């Protein structure tokens, strides 16, 4: 069955007592306010990103410069939303992994909170999950790591999303020469990725998203749109 983040998350609730700073992979969908098509248009299955879309993309692609425990995976900008996979490491240096024994995925609709290149043809990012970050050894290595920690804080997913939405909206509204106008919807869709199979399925969904735009539940002409 084709993965649909809207259909699969519509009846979800935020997972109680879950540690959103925990090691793992998280599939995020963030929609624009009132699902307005701010970021460009789809032509022949290809996203034609505009200036505002480039701002949103730039802020997303720079997230791992501000969060030490974060790596970026598949990502796409769509006319009125974005999809991206965030991977949090279990510690400040190691990569997140998956518990192969967990096959059940948990779907969550989060409250007020924050790729794979090729969807945006101008992006040079890669979806390959990077190899493990080495744990620094020796006094000099630990001192260097400590200095890095002072400049790069480890945050949970809600904090990351909140920061992304705040700073990207500020720049977008500066370009639009308006203020105090929402850019993003208050909520966002969140899905905890439990294993490699689920990860690959969601990567494929992100990859194909521009090609299936006119069938997308987030398309402004979708008849089921609330």
């Amino acid at each position: 069955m084709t993965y649909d983040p809207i259909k699969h998350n519509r009846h979800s609730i935020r997972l109680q007592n879950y540690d959103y700073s925990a090691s793992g992979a998280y599939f995020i969908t963030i929609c624009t306010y009132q699902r307005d098509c701010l970021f460009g248009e789809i032509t022949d299955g290809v996203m034609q990103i505009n200036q505002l879309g480039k701002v949103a993309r730039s802020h997303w692609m720079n997230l791992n410069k501000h969060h030490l425990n974060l790596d970026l995976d598949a990502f796409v900008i769509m006319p009125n939303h974005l999809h991206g996979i965030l991977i949090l490491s279990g510690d400040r240096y190691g990569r997140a992994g998956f518990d192969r024994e967990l096959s059940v995925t948990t779907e969550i609709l989060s409250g007020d909170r924050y790729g794979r290149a090729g969807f945006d043809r101008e992006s040079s990012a890669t979806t390959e999950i990077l190899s493990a970050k080495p744990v620094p050894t020796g006094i000099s290595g630990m001192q260097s790591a400590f200095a890095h920690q002072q400049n790069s804080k480890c945050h949970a997913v809600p904090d990351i999303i909140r920061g992304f939405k705040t700073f990207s909206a500020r720049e977008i509204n500066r370009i639009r020469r308006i203020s105090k106008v929402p850019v993003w919807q208050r909520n966002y869709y969140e899905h905890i990725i439990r294993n490699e199979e689920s990860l690959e399925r969601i990567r494929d969904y992100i990859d194909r998203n521009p090609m299936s735009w006119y069938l997308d539940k987030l398309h402004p002409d979708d008849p089921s749109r609330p």
Side-chain angles (χ1 to χ4, degrees), residues 4 7 29 32 54 62 70 75 87 94 113 123 132 149 156 162-163 175 177 182 186 195-197 205:
D4 186 331
K7 180 176 68 176
T29 298
T32 59
K54 290 177 181 179
N62 282 299
L70 173 66
F75 172 71
I87 300 180
R113 316 285 189 249
S123 174
Q149 291 174 29
R162 184 184 301 113
I175 294 172
R177 297 183 178 181
R186 184 184 178 200
N195 51 49
E196 297 283 354
E197 181 181 359
Y205 175 84

Side-chain angles (χ1 to χ4, degrees), residues 19-192:
D19 180 5
Y20 284 91
S21 65
S23 169
Y26 302 83
F27 175 41
I28 305 296
T29 298
I30 311 176
C31 298
T32 59
Y33 182 66
Q34 296 184 337
R35 299 187 188 175
D36 290 338
C37 293
L38 299 179
F39 300 142
E41 59 183 16
I42 303 291
T43 303
D44 296 328
V46 178
M47 175 62 185
Q48 306 295 331
I49 193 170
N50 61 20
Q51 184 180 11
L52 302 184
K54 290 177 181 179
V55 169
R57 179 187 65 190
S58 176
H59 278 270
W60 185 272
M61 300 306 291
N62 282 299
L63 283 174
N64 56 358
K65 295 180 180 179
H66 305 290
H67 304 282
L68 183 61
N69 60 332
L70 173 66
D71 284 302
L72 303 175
D73 200 271
F75 172 71
V76 64
I77 289 279
M78 297 291 287
N80 62 5
H81 65 280
L82 66 80
H83 295 301
I85 297 174
L86 302 179
I87 300 180
L88 300 187
S89 60
D91 55 40
R92 293 179 182 270
Y93 308 103
R95 277 306 309 257
F98 300 108
D99 183 346
R100 268 61 175 185
E101 296 180 357
L102 290 176
S103 60
V104 178
T105 57
T106 305
E107 298 157 357
I108 303 140
L109 177 60
S110 301
D112 190 17
R113 316 285 189 249
Y114 218 162
R116 184 159 178 160
F119 326 117
D120 173 359
R121 301 300 192 257
E122 296 180 21
S123 174
S124 60
T126 177
T127 56
E128 296 297 328
I129 296 182
L130 303 179
S131 58
K133 303 174 184 176
V135 176
T137 58
I139 294 176
S140 61
M142 293 304 294
Q143 288 175 336
S144 175
F146 180 77
H148 191 189
Q149 291 174 29
Q150 303 312 301
N151 296 321
S152 302
K153 296 181 179 180
C154 296
H155 292 126
V157 171
D159 301 312
I160 294 170
I161 299 299
R162 184 184 301 113
F164 165 76
K165 291 169 74 173
T166 297
F167 291 107
S168 61
R170 184 177 300 171
E171 185 173 352
I172 287 170
N173 279 342
R174 181 185 60 79
I175 294 172
R176 296 197 291 177
R177 297 183 178 181
I178 56 179
S179 62
K180 299 181 180 180
V181 175
V183 171
W184 304 103
Q185 282 188 352
R186 184 184 178 200
N187 293 336
Y188 71 97
Y189 299 93
E190 178 184 281
H191 177 90
I192 301 172

